[in-house]
PDB file of all heavy atoms in Angstrom:
ATOM      1  N   THR Y  19     -25.803   5.999  14.190  1.00 77.00           N
ATOM      2  CA  THR Y  19     -26.258   7.385  14.279  1.00 77.00           C
ATOM      3  C   THR Y  19     -26.588   7.703  15.725  1.00 77.00           C
ATOM      4  O   THR Y  19     -27.427   7.045  16.346  1.00 77.00           O
ATOM      5  CB  THR Y  19     -27.497   7.628  13.399  1.00 77.00           C
ATOM      6  OG1 THR Y  19     -27.192   7.270  12.038  1.00 77.00           O
ATOM      7  CG2 THR Y  19     -27.921   9.078  13.453  1.00 77.00           C
ATOM      8  N   ARG Y  50      11.045 -12.408  18.604  1.00 96.00           N
ATOM      9  CA  ARG Y  50      11.104 -13.447  19.638  1.00 96.00           C
ATOM     10  C   ARG Y  50      11.910 -14.666  19.196  1.00 96.00           C
ATOM     11  O   ARG Y  50      12.058 -15.618  19.952  1.00 96.00           O
ATOM     12  CB  ARG Y  50       9.689 -13.870  20.027  1.00 96.00           C
ATOM     13  CG  ARG Y  50       8.981 -12.857  20.922  1.00 96.00           C
ATOM     14  CD  ARG Y  50       7.585 -13.274  21.263  1.00 96.00           C
ATOM     15  NE  ARG Y  50       6.999 -12.378  22.260  1.00 96.00           N
ATOM     16  CZ  ARG Y  50       5.693 -12.283  22.522  1.00 96.00           C
ATOM     17  NH1 ARG Y  50       4.841 -13.050  21.851  1.00 96.00           N
ATOM     18  NH2 ARG Y  50       5.248 -11.454  23.439  1.00 96.00           N
ATOM     19  N   TRP Y  93      -2.015  21.416  -7.936  1.00 69.00           N
ATOM     20  CA  TRP Y  93      -2.591  22.729  -8.237  1.00 69.00           C
ATOM     21  C   TRP Y  93      -4.050  22.833  -7.824  1.00 69.00           C
ATOM     22  O   TRP Y  93      -4.509  23.914  -7.415  1.00 69.00           O
ATOM     23  CB  TRP Y  93      -2.421  23.049  -9.724  1.00 69.00           C
ATOM     24  CG  TRP Y  93      -0.978  23.214 -10.095  1.00 69.00           C
ATOM     25  CD1 TRP Y  93      -0.225  22.421 -10.908  1.00 69.00           C
ATOM     26  CD2 TRP Y  93      -0.092  24.229  -9.614  1.00 69.00           C
ATOM     27  NE1 TRP Y  93       1.069  22.852 -10.974  1.00 69.00           N
ATOM     28  CE2 TRP Y  93       1.193  23.979 -10.197  1.00 69.00           C
ATOM     29  CE3 TRP Y  93      -0.243  25.328  -8.766  1.00 69.00           C
ATOM     30  CZ2 TRP Y  93       2.289  24.785  -9.932  1.00 69.00           C
ATOM     31  CZ3 TRP Y  93       0.864  26.128  -8.501  1.00 69.00           C
ATOM     32  CH2 TRP Y  93       2.102  25.856  -9.091  1.00 69.00           C
ATOM     33  N   PRO Y 133      19.073  -1.009  15.566  1.00 95.00           N
ATOM     34  CA  PRO Y 133      19.687  -1.076  14.228  1.00 95.00           C
ATOM     35  C   PRO Y 133      18.658  -0.784  13.130  1.00 95.00           C
ATOM     36  O   PRO Y 133      17.667  -1.507  12.988  1.00 95.00           O
ATOM     37  CB  PRO Y 133      20.204  -2.516  14.147  1.00 95.00           C
ATOM     38  CG  PRO Y 133      20.355  -2.960  15.559  1.00 95.00           C
ATOM     39  CD  PRO Y 133      19.270  -2.268  16.320  1.00 95.00           C
ATOM     40  N   LEU Y 149      -0.710  -4.107   2.288  1.00 93.00           N
ATOM     41  CA  LEU Y 149      -1.032  -3.838   0.889  1.00 93.00           C
ATOM     42  C   LEU Y 149      -2.189  -4.714   0.410  1.00 93.00           C
ATOM     43  O   LEU Y 149      -3.074  -4.253  -0.315  1.00 93.00           O
ATOM     44  CB  LEU Y 149       0.195  -4.079   0.014  1.00 93.00           C
ATOM     45  CG  LEU Y 149       1.335  -3.078   0.172  1.00 93.00           C
ATOM     46  CD1 LEU Y 149       2.559  -3.554  -0.590  1.00 93.00           C
ATOM     47  CD2 LEU Y 149       0.908  -1.701  -0.328  1.00 93.00           C
ATOM     48  N   TYR Y 163      -9.981   1.587 -10.208  1.00 95.00           N
ATOM     49  CA  TYR Y 163     -10.228   0.467 -11.116  1.00 95.00           C
ATOM     50  C   TYR Y 163      -9.376   0.613 -12.373  1.00 95.00           C
ATOM     51  O   TYR Y 163      -8.665   1.597 -12.567  1.00 95.00           O
ATOM     52  CB  TYR Y 163     -11.703   0.368 -11.485  1.00 95.00           C
ATOM     53  CG  TYR Y 163     -12.371   1.678 -11.829  1.00 95.00           C
ATOM     54  CD1 TYR Y 163     -12.039   2.370 -12.988  1.00 95.00           C
ATOM     55  CD2 TYR Y 163     -13.344   2.229 -10.994  1.00 95.00           C
ATOM     56  CE1 TYR Y 163     -12.641   3.562 -13.305  1.00 95.00           C
ATOM     57  CE2 TYR Y 163     -13.963   3.425 -11.305  1.00 95.00           C
ATOM     58  CZ  TYR Y 163     -13.607   4.089 -12.453  1.00 95.00           C
ATOM     59  OH  TYR Y 163     -14.208   5.276 -12.764  1.00 95.00           O
ATOM     60  N   SER Y 188     -27.179   2.851 -11.350  1.00 88.00           N
ATOM     61  CA  SER Y 188     -27.705   3.196 -12.673  1.00 88.00           C
ATOM     62  C   SER Y 188     -26.630   3.834 -13.540  1.00 88.00           C
ATOM     63  O   SER Y 188     -26.825   4.045 -14.731  1.00 88.00           O
ATOM     64  CB  SER Y 188     -28.897   4.158 -12.548  1.00 88.00           C
ATOM     65  OG  SER Y 188     -28.476   5.416 -12.040  1.00 88.00           O
ATOM     66  N   LEU Y 223      17.290 -12.651   6.931  1.00 96.00           N
ATOM     67  CA  LEU Y 223      17.353 -11.643   7.990  1.00 96.00           C
ATOM     68  C   LEU Y 223      18.762 -11.492   8.545  1.00 96.00           C
ATOM     69  O   LEU Y 223      19.075 -10.506   9.217  1.00 96.00           O
ATOM     70  CB  LEU Y 223      16.400 -12.015   9.131  1.00 96.00           C
ATOM     71  CG  LEU Y 223      14.943 -11.582   8.990  1.00 96.00           C
ATOM     72  CD1 LEU Y 223      14.118 -12.088  10.169  1.00 96.00           C
ATOM     73  CD2 LEU Y 223      14.805 -10.067   8.873  1.00 96.00           C
ATOM     74  N   VAL Y 282      22.224  -5.996  -3.463  1.00 97.00           N
ATOM     75  CA  VAL Y 282      23.627  -6.234  -3.821  1.00 97.00           C
ATOM     76  C   VAL Y 282      24.532  -5.986  -2.620  1.00 97.00           C
ATOM     77  O   VAL Y 282      25.409  -6.798  -2.294  1.00 97.00           O
ATOM     78  CB  VAL Y 282      24.042  -5.339  -5.006  1.00 97.00           C
ATOM     79  CG1 VAL Y 282      25.550  -5.391  -5.211  1.00 97.00           C
ATOM     80  CG2 VAL Y 282      23.321  -5.779  -6.271  1.00 97.00           C
TER      81      VAL Y 282
END
Side-chain angles (χ1 to χ4, degrees):
T19 303
R50 284 179 172 163
W93 294 113
L149 290 171
Y163 44 69
S188 67
L223 275 177
V282 169

